[in-house]
Every structure is written in C-alpha cells, then in structure tokens.
Amino acid sequence: MEAASHSVTVEDCKKISATAIDSVDGFSPSQITLSYSGGRIIIAGGGLKIVNFSKARGNFMDTGTINGVKYAAKGVNFKQKLFK
C-alpha cells in the first residue's frame, strides 16, 4: 500500500500549512504534534494557534511564531533511539 503524499509549507515563520494530516495528537502554544501516514510532524514555536484542521480533507493550518519543524518516523520508540 502506497503512503499518501503530503506537503508542509512555512510562510515567513508565521504561518504553516500541511496536507494529508491524519490527526492533531498534541497542542500547546509552544508545540503542536501532527500524525500523517509516515509518522509524526512536530511544530515548535511560540503563540501557536490552530486556524484550520479538516480530518476529512487532511488539511491543517496554524499561525504563530514557527521556530522549527521536525519529522519523527513511524515505529521508532524511545528505547530504539536510546540504545541505537
């Protein structure tokens, strides 16, 4: 089975949008965790606010100060990272 193609776009470090998002797993004003078919996307920043999320379409949009975007592969747990 082929994974859905996704994209992440950051505009002027103040707005981020993503496609093919399955769920929002965690949210705080400093970090948002998203799930997609390949794993997780972690957005770090300040004053983060979810503007739009459509589970049916997989679209996500956020505003705030974006300091970083990190991908975490699916199936990698803490023990695997620790004892690598």
PDB file of all heavy atoms in Angstrom, residues 33-59:
ATOM      1  N   THR A  33       1.811  18.621  17.691  1.00  0.00           N
ATOM      2  CA  THR A  33       2.211  17.323  17.150  1.00  0.00           C
ATOM      3  C   THR A  33       1.113  16.821  16.222  1.00  0.00           C
ATOM      4  O   THR A  33      -0.044  16.716  16.628  1.00  0.00           O
ATOM      5  CB  THR A  33       2.448  16.306  18.271  1.00  0.00           C
ATOM      6  OG1 THR A  33       3.414  16.833  19.183  1.00  0.00           O
ATOM      7  CG2 THR A  33       2.950  14.983  17.727  1.00  0.00           C
ATOM      8  N   LEU A  34       1.486  16.524  14.975  1.00  0.00           N
ATOM      9  CA  LEU A  34       0.563  16.035  13.964  1.00  0.00           C
ATOM     10  C   LEU A  34       0.955  14.622  13.553  1.00  0.00           C
ATOM     11  O   LEU A  34       2.134  14.275  13.588  1.00  0.00           O
ATOM     12  CB  LEU A  34       0.624  16.924  12.714  1.00  0.00           C
ATOM     13  CG  LEU A  34       0.457  18.424  12.904  1.00  0.00           C
ATOM     14  CD1 LEU A  34       0.737  19.148  11.587  1.00  0.00           C
ATOM     15  CD2 LEU A  34      -0.927  18.741  13.409  1.00  0.00           C
ATOM     16  N   SER A  35      -0.036  13.817  13.151  1.00  0.00           N
ATOM     17  CA  SER A  35       0.237  12.483  12.603  1.00  0.00           C
ATOM     18  C   SER A  35      -0.117  12.466  11.127  1.00  0.00           C
ATOM     19  O   SER A  35      -1.121  13.046  10.717  1.00  0.00           O
ATOM     20  CB  SER A  35      -0.597  11.426  13.320  1.00  0.00           C
ATOM     21  OG  SER A  35      -0.089  11.169  14.586  1.00  0.00           O
ATOM     22  N   TYR A  36       0.729  11.806  10.347  1.00  0.00           N
ATOM     23  CA  TYR A  36       0.458  11.551   8.935  1.00  0.00           C
ATOM     24  C   TYR A  36       0.868  10.107   8.674  1.00  0.00           C
ATOM     25  O   TYR A  36       1.359   9.422   9.572  1.00  0.00           O
ATOM     26  CB  TYR A  36       1.180  12.562   8.038  1.00  0.00           C
ATOM     27  CG  TYR A  36       2.666  12.339   7.896  1.00  0.00           C
ATOM     28  CD1 TYR A  36       3.201  11.831   6.732  1.00  0.00           C
ATOM     29  CD2 TYR A  36       3.533  12.620   8.938  1.00  0.00           C
ATOM     30  CE1 TYR A  36       4.564  11.619   6.602  1.00  0.00           C
ATOM     31  CE2 TYR A  36       4.892  12.413   8.818  1.00  0.00           C
ATOM     32  CZ  TYR A  36       5.402  11.912   7.651  1.00  0.00           C
ATOM     33  OH  TYR A  36       6.742  11.687   7.522  1.00  0.00           O
ATOM     34  N   SER A  37       0.671   9.610   7.481  1.00  0.00           N
ATOM     35  CA  SER A  37       0.883   8.190   7.202  1.00  0.00           C
ATOM     36  C   SER A  37       2.313   7.722   7.450  1.00  0.00           C
ATOM     37  O   SER A  37       2.544   6.563   7.759  1.00  0.00           O
ATOM     38  CB  SER A  37       0.489   7.871   5.754  1.00  0.00           C
ATOM     39  OG  SER A  37       1.296   8.609   4.858  1.00  0.00           O
ATOM     40  N   GLY A  38       3.297   8.609   7.373  1.00  0.00           N
ATOM     41  CA  GLY A  38       4.696   8.226   7.566  1.00  0.00           C
ATOM     42  C   GLY A  38       5.223   8.402   8.972  1.00  0.00           C
ATOM     43  O   GLY A  38       6.363   8.063   9.257  1.00  0.00           O
ATOM     44  N   GLY A  39       4.430   8.959   9.881  1.00  0.00           N
ATOM     45  CA  GLY A  39       4.880   9.173  11.257  1.00  0.00           C
ATOM     46  C   GLY A  39       4.273  10.429  11.845  1.00  0.00           C
ATOM     47  O   GLY A  39       3.075  10.647  11.738  1.00  0.00           O
ATOM     48  N   ARG A  40       5.124  11.258  12.450  1.00  0.00           N
ATOM     49  CA  ARG A  40       4.660  12.477  13.101  1.00  0.00           C
ATOM     50  C   ARG A  40       5.438  13.693  12.621  1.00  0.00           C
ATOM     51  O   ARG A  40       6.593  13.589  12.234  1.00  0.00           O
ATOM     52  CB  ARG A  40       4.810  12.365  14.613  1.00  0.00           C
ATOM     53  CG  ARG A  40       3.884  11.346  15.196  1.00  0.00           C
ATOM     54  CD  ARG A  40       3.856  11.414  16.668  1.00  0.00           C
ATOM     55  NE  ARG A  40       2.848  10.468  17.120  1.00  0.00           N
ATOM     56  CZ  ARG A  40       2.533  10.278  18.350  1.00  0.00           C
ATOM     57  NH1 ARG A  40       3.155  10.943  19.291  1.00  0.00           N
ATOM     58  NH2 ARG A  40       1.602   9.424  18.688  1.00  0.00           N
ATOM     59  N   ILE A  41       4.788  14.850  12.719  1.00  0.00           N
ATOM     60  CA  ILE A  41       5.415  16.132  12.446  1.00  0.00           C
ATOM     61  C   ILE A  41       5.267  16.955  13.716  1.00  0.00           C
ATOM     62  O   ILE A  41       4.169  17.074  14.265  1.00  0.00           O
ATOM     63  CB  ILE A  41       4.729  16.852  11.270  1.00  0.00           C
ATOM     64  CG1 ILE A  41       4.806  15.999  10.004  1.00  0.00           C
ATOM     65  CG2 ILE A  41       5.353  18.233  11.053  1.00  0.00           C
ATOM     66  CD1 ILE A  41       3.961  16.517   8.863  1.00  0.00           C
ATOM     67  N   ILE A  42       6.376  17.486  14.203  1.00  0.00           N
ATOM     68  CA  ILE A  42       6.368  18.283  15.428  1.00  0.00           C
ATOM     69  C   ILE A  42       6.724  19.720  15.056  1.00  0.00           C
ATOM     70  O   ILE A  42       7.788  19.982  14.498  1.00  0.00           O
ATOM     71  CB  ILE A  42       7.369  17.723  16.456  1.00  0.00           C
ATOM     72  CG1 ILE A  42       7.008  16.264  16.761  1.00  0.00           C
ATOM     73  CG2 ILE A  42       7.377  18.579  17.719  1.00  0.00           C
ATOM     74  CD1 ILE A  42       8.110  15.462  17.364  1.00  0.00           C
ATOM     75  N   ILE A  43       5.807  20.631  15.369  1.00  0.00           N
ATOM     76  CA  ILE A  43       5.995  22.052  15.075  1.00  0.00           C
ATOM     77  C   ILE A  43       6.320  22.747  16.385  1.00  0.00           C
ATOM     78  O   ILE A  43       5.566  22.637  17.352  1.00  0.00           O
ATOM     79  CB  ILE A  43       4.719  22.658  14.465  1.00  0.00           C
ATOM     80  CG1 ILE A  43       4.323  21.894  13.199  1.00  0.00           C
ATOM     81  CG2 ILE A  43       4.905  24.144  14.184  1.00  0.00           C
ATOM     82  CD1 ILE A  43       2.917  22.169  12.724  1.00  0.00           C
ATOM     83  N   ALA A  44       7.446  23.456  16.439  1.00  0.00           N
ATOM     84  CA  ALA A  44       7.858  24.178  17.642  1.00  0.00           C
ATOM     85  C   ALA A  44       7.808  25.674  17.368  1.00  0.00           C
ATOM     86  O   ALA A  44       8.089  26.126  16.263  1.00  0.00           O
ATOM     87  CB  ALA A  44       9.274  23.776  18.042  1.00  0.00           C
ATOM     88  N   GLY A  45       7.452  26.435  18.393  1.00  0.00           N
ATOM     89  CA  GLY A  45       7.397  27.880  18.231  1.00  0.00           C
ATOM     90  C   GLY A  45       6.812  28.559  19.448  1.00  0.00           C
ATOM     91  O   GLY A  45       6.900  28.054  20.563  1.00  0.00           O
ATOM     92  N   GLY A  46       6.169  29.681  19.215  1.00  0.00           N
ATOM     93  CA  GLY A  46       5.553  30.442  20.287  1.00  0.00           C
ATOM     94  C   GLY A  46       4.246  31.045  19.815  1.00  0.00           C
ATOM     95  O   GLY A  46       4.101  31.414  18.651  1.00  0.00           O
ATOM     96  N   GLY A  47       3.275  31.132  20.703  1.00  0.00           N
ATOM     97  CA  GLY A  47       1.982  31.688  20.362  1.00  0.00           C
ATOM     98  C   GLY A  47       1.267  30.925  19.258  1.00  0.00           C
ATOM     99  O   GLY A  47       0.518  31.512  18.478  1.00  0.00           O
ATOM    100  N   LEU A  48       1.478  29.613  19.195  1.00  0.00           N
ATOM    101  CA  LEU A  48       0.885  28.796  18.139  1.00  0.00           C
ATOM    102  C   LEU A  48      -0.622  28.678  18.333  1.00  0.00           C
ATOM    103  O   LEU A  48      -1.100  28.468  19.452  1.00  0.00           O
ATOM    104  CB  LEU A  48       1.521  27.404  18.108  1.00  0.00           C
ATOM    105  CG  LEU A  48       3.025  27.369  17.844  1.00  0.00           C
ATOM    106  CD1 LEU A  48       3.537  25.937  17.927  1.00  0.00           C
ATOM    107  CD2 LEU A  48       3.353  27.972  16.500  1.00  0.00           C
ATOM    108  N   LYS A  49      -1.348  28.815  17.257  1.00  0.00           N
ATOM    109  CA  LYS A  49      -2.806  28.740  17.286  1.00  0.00           C
ATOM    110  C   LYS A  49      -3.285  28.010  16.040  1.00  0.00           C
ATOM    111  O   LYS A  49      -2.929  28.389  14.921  1.00  0.00           O
ATOM    112  CB  LYS A  49      -3.399  30.147  17.322  1.00  0.00           C
ATOM    113  CG  LYS A  49      -4.891  30.176  17.349  1.00  0.00           C
ATOM    114  CD  LYS A  49      -5.410  31.600  17.394  1.00  0.00           C
ATOM    115  CE  LYS A  49      -6.926  31.598  17.345  1.00  0.00           C
ATOM    116  NZ  LYS A  49      -7.452  32.952  17.234  1.00  0.00           N
ATOM    117  N   ILE A  50      -4.069  26.953  16.219  1.00  0.00           N
ATOM    118  CA  ILE A  50      -4.619  26.208  15.093  1.00  0.00           C
ATOM    119  C   ILE A  50      -5.744  27.030  14.478  1.00  0.00           C
ATOM    120  O   ILE A  50      -6.707  27.381  15.152  1.00  0.00           O
ATOM    121  CB  ILE A  50      -5.134  24.819  15.525  1.00  0.00           C
ATOM    122  CG1 ILE A  50      -3.972  23.969  16.049  1.00  0.00           C
ATOM    123  CG2 ILE A  50      -5.830  24.123  14.359  1.00  0.00           C
ATOM    124  CD1 ILE A  50      -4.392  22.647  16.646  1.00  0.00           C
ATOM    125  N   VAL A  51      -5.599  27.352  13.195  1.00  0.00           N
ATOM    126  CA  VAL A  51      -6.594  28.136  12.478  1.00  0.00           C
ATOM    127  C   VAL A  51      -7.587  27.217  11.771  1.00  0.00           C
ATOM    128  O   VAL A  51      -8.779  27.496  11.725  1.00  0.00           O
ATOM    129  CB  VAL A  51      -5.904  29.062  11.442  1.00  0.00           C
ATOM    130  CG1 VAL A  51      -6.914  29.804  10.604  1.00  0.00           C
ATOM    131  CG2 VAL A  51      -4.969  30.023  12.139  1.00  0.00           C
ATOM    132  N   ASN A  52      -7.090  26.089  11.237  1.00  0.00           N
ATOM    133  CA  ASN A  52      -7.947  25.183  10.487  1.00  0.00           C
ATOM    134  C   ASN A  52      -7.391  23.766  10.553  1.00  0.00           C
ATOM    135  O   ASN A  52      -6.192  23.565  10.411  1.00  0.00           O
ATOM    136  CB  ASN A  52      -8.032  25.635   9.025  1.00  0.00           C
ATOM    137  CG  ASN A  52      -8.936  24.761   8.187  1.00  0.00           C
ATOM    138  OD1 ASN A  52      -9.917  24.208   8.673  1.00  0.00           O
ATOM    139  ND2 ASN A  52      -8.594  24.619   6.919  1.00  0.00           N
ATOM    140  N   PHE A  53      -8.284  22.798  10.782  1.00  0.00           N
ATOM    141  CA  PHE A  53      -7.933  21.391  10.646  1.00  0.00           C
ATOM    142  C   PHE A  53      -9.162  20.645  10.163  1.00  0.00           C
ATOM    143  O   PHE A  53     -10.215  20.692  10.794  1.00  0.00           O
ATOM    144  CB  PHE A  53      -7.440  20.777  11.958  1.00  0.00           C
ATOM    145  CG  PHE A  53      -7.238  19.284  11.851  1.00  0.00           C
ATOM    146  CD1 PHE A  53      -6.305  18.764  10.977  1.00  0.00           C
ATOM    147  CD2 PHE A  53      -7.998  18.409  12.594  1.00  0.00           C
ATOM    148  CE1 PHE A  53      -6.131  17.384  10.846  1.00  0.00           C
ATOM    149  CE2 PHE A  53      -7.826  17.043  12.484  1.00  0.00           C
ATOM    150  CZ  PHE A  53      -6.892  16.523  11.607  1.00  0.00           C
ATOM    151  N   SER A  54      -9.037  19.986   9.028  1.00  0.00           N
ATOM    152  CA  SER A  54     -10.109  19.179   8.470  1.00  0.00           C
ATOM    153  C   SER A  54      -9.625  17.741   8.388  1.00  0.00           C
ATOM    154  O   SER A  54      -8.777  17.416   7.553  1.00  0.00           O
ATOM    155  CB  SER A  54     -10.489  19.679   7.071  1.00  0.00           C
ATOM    156  OG  SER A  54     -11.380  18.775   6.455  1.00  0.00           O
ATOM    157  N   LYS A  55     -10.143  16.901   9.267  1.00  0.00           N
ATOM    158  CA  LYS A  55      -9.743  15.497   9.265  1.00  0.00           C
ATOM    159  C   LYS A  55     -10.163  14.819   7.954  1.00  0.00           C
ATOM    160  O   LYS A  55      -9.421  14.016   7.403  1.00  0.00           O
ATOM    161  CB  LYS A  55     -10.352  14.766  10.457  1.00  0.00           C
ATOM    162  CG  LYS A  55      -9.885  13.333  10.565  1.00  0.00           C
ATOM    163  CD  LYS A  55     -10.378  12.692  11.833  1.00  0.00           C
ATOM    164  CE  LYS A  55      -9.952  11.256  11.888  1.00  0.00           C
ATOM    165  NZ  LYS A  55      -8.850  11.010  12.767  1.00  0.00           N
ATOM    166  N   ALA A  56     -11.336  15.168   7.435  1.00  0.00           N
ATOM    167  CA  ALA A  56     -11.838  14.565   6.199  1.00  0.00           C
ATOM    168  C   ALA A  56     -10.934  14.888   5.012  1.00  0.00           C
ATOM    169  O   ALA A  56     -10.658  14.021   4.176  1.00  0.00           O
ATOM    170  CB  ALA A  56     -13.256  15.047   5.925  1.00  0.00           C
ATOM    171  N   ARG A  57     -10.449  16.109   4.921  1.00  0.00           N
ATOM    172  CA  ARG A  57      -9.587  16.516   3.814  1.00  0.00           C
ATOM    173  C   ARG A  57      -8.108  16.370   4.128  1.00  0.00           C
ATOM    174  O   ARG A  57      -7.270  16.382   3.239  1.00  0.00           O
ATOM    175  CB  ARG A  57      -9.867  17.966   3.438  1.00  0.00           C
ATOM    176  CG  ARG A  57     -11.219  18.159   2.833  1.00  0.00           C
ATOM    177  CD  ARG A  57     -11.398  19.579   2.414  1.00  0.00           C
ATOM    178  NE  ARG A  57     -12.715  19.764   1.831  1.00  0.00           N
ATOM    179  CZ  ARG A  57     -13.210  20.925   1.531  1.00  0.00           C
ATOM    180  NH1 ARG A  57     -12.513  22.020   1.763  1.00  0.00           N
ATOM    181  NH2 ARG A  57     -14.404  21.019   1.009  1.00  0.00           N
ATOM    182  N   GLY A  58      -7.753  16.327   5.417  1.00  0.00           N
ATOM    183  CA  GLY A  58      -6.360  16.206   5.808  1.00  0.00           C
ATOM    184  C   GLY A  58      -5.609  17.520   5.798  1.00  0.00           C
ATOM    185  O   GLY A  58      -4.382  17.539   5.849  1.00  0.00           O
ATOM    186  N   ASN A  59      -6.332  18.637   5.734  1.00  0.00           N
ATOM    187  CA  ASN A  59      -5.693  19.956   5.698  1.00  0.00           C
ATOM    188  C   ASN A  59      -5.508  20.511   7.101  1.00  0.00           C
ATOM    189  O   ASN A  59      -6.388  20.379   7.951  1.00  0.00           O
ATOM    190  CB  ASN A  59      -6.532  20.937   4.881  1.00  0.00           C
ATOM    191  CG  ASN A  59      -6.624  20.542   3.431  1.00  0.00           C
ATOM    192  OD1 ASN A  59      -5.729  19.894   2.903  1.00  0.00           O
ATOM    193  ND2 ASN A  59      -7.694  20.925   2.776  1.00  0.00           N
TER     194      ASN A  59
END
